[in-house]
Amino acid sequence: MFFYLAKAVWFVLQPSTFIALLIGYGAILIWTGWARWGRRFVSIGAILLLVVGLSPLGNALILPLEDRFPRTDLDQQPAPAGFIILGGAENRLVGSARKAPTLNEAGERLLEGAILALRFPDARVAFSGGDAGILYKSDSEAQGAADILTSLGVERGRLVLEANARDTYENAVFLKKELDRGGAFSQGTRWLLITSAYHMPRSIGAFRQAGFDVEPWPVDYRTRGPEDFTKPFDKVSEGLRRVDTATREWVGLVAYWLTGRTNALFPAPGPTEDSQG
């Protein structure tokens, strides 16, 4: 129920959709007896479109998320026992139809997962991701990820695949059960979590809540750092997308905290998580 409710609420509340609905509703009202309110809605929507689409707002919102967790120190001992890659890097709907790997802008999750797997040949590689579609169904992300990882040189026998999770909390809960069942997880071993930098706070919080202490390896950065705090966008579509992405994570953090799916409102690095400097 949480999954479907979250999808429905977010569809309406995401900034780009809200602005479009505001302008569209206002345009309809202009042709009715509520023309004054219609002009107001259209005007407010147009101003929001320009501010959200062209201003640095998207960067200002996403920077605190991306900078929250630095990459863990890979030189410390013991060596990682495994790497966890979260789904969200593939377009399975298109990939299944075209019979070809189809990565989106989060494709670094799989790429860096393969790089780390080759660097640490004794570590397991776990992937969690099912089919999160509602209107359009496809096969599991796990199958596509397995094909991509093995093509990049990761041995099939090293893979642990979880193919049912539809959101971040399910990633944590289902994958922990999968690793426990297969005997791949034990307390005291180091597991690195690979996901987009802006998504790391919510992911770490969900894994901690599930009783799975992981170390962060953020990828898929969207900004250079603080220097982008005041950097405007040259395309309205890019600014809208950045604000949508960041807002979704902030709303997700609050929703997870209110429903007990994360161990903190804004999870922070633990004492064992050291930066590479």
Side-chain angles (χ1 to χ4, degrees), residues 4-276:
Y4 293 104
L5 181 62
K7 288 281 189 180
V9 171
W10 176 244
F11 174 77
V12 176
L13 293 184
Q14 62 181 331
S16 59
T17 302
F18 177 78
I19 291 171
L21 291 175
L22 187 64
I23 294 175
Y25 184 57
I28 293 173
L29 290 182
I30 287 176
W31 299 94
T32 70
W34 299 85
R36 179 178 297 179
W37 280 103
R39 289 192 294 270
R40 289 174 180 173
F41 286 157
V42 170
S43 298
I44 293 172
I47 293 172
L48 287 176
L49 180 64
L50 292 176
V51 171
V52 173
L54 297 176
S55 79
L57 178 61
N59 288 334
L61 287 173
I62 208 169
L63 267 166
L65 296 166
E66 288 196 332
D67 291 344
R68 189 64 166 174
F69 285 89
R71 289 186 167 188
T72 193
D73 183 2
L74 291 178
D75 293 327
Q76 66 181 1
Q77 296 298 321
F83 303 103
I84 297 169
I85 305 171
L86 296 191
E90 304 172 73
N91 186 333
R92 289 303 300 160
L93 193 65
V94 174
S96 299
R98 296 292 186 177
K99 309 299 182 186
T102 310
L103 299 178
N104 56 36
E105 57 187 334
E108 293 163 38
R109 300 183 187 187
L110 288 169
L111 176 61
E112 291 220 34
I115 292 173
L116 290 175
L118 296 178
R119 178 176 173 182
F120 296 91
D122 294 330
R124 303 295 298 273
V125 180
F127 181 91
S128 177
D131 175 20
I134 294 181
L135 296 179
Y136 302 99
K137 292 293 185 179
S138 64
D139 57 358
S140 167
E141 273 196 75
Q143 181 56 54
D147 294 339
I148 292 171
L149 289 170
T150 53
S151 297
L152 292 173
V154 182
E155 295 176 2
R156 187 84 181 201
R158 298 174 60 189
L159 299 181
V160 178
L161 303 176
E162 188 287 305
N164 296 310
R166 300 169 300 174
D167 58 31
T168 306
Y169 183 70
E170 290 185 354
N171 285 144
V173 173
F174 294 173
L175 185 56
K176 186 174 185 298
K177 289 180 180 179
E178 189 71 30
L179 292 173
D180 283 337
R181 182 166 51 247
F185 172 73
S186 61
Q187 294 294 335
T189 56
R190 295 180 64 199
W191 284 81
L192 267 61
L193 178 64
I194 303 172
T195 189
S196 300
Y198 65 84
H199 184 54
M200 189 62 74
R202 183 154 59 106
S203 301
I204 289 286
F207 272 78
R208 287 174 177 171
Q209 188 72 351
F212 197 162
D213 191 19
V214 292
E215 299 178 34
W217 192 261
V219 299
D220 181 31
Y221 288 94
R222 306 299 170 90
T223 66
R224 296 172 296 173
E227 59 266 40
D228 281 350
F229 191 82
T230 57
K231 178 187 175 184
F233 291 88
D234 59 1
K235 295 179 181 178
V236 173
S237 59
E238 292 299 320
L240 286 173
R241 176 184 290 202
R242 185 65 50 81
V243 170
D244 279 351
T245 298
T247 303
R248 181 184 181 189
E249 284 306 309
W250 286 113
V251 172
L253 281 166
V254 174
Y256 269 39
W257 183 62
L258 292 175
T259 56
R261 291 174 166 238
T262 180
N263 73 324
L265 178 58
F266 193 28
T272 62
E273 292 165 5
D274 300 319
S275 171
Q276 292 190 114

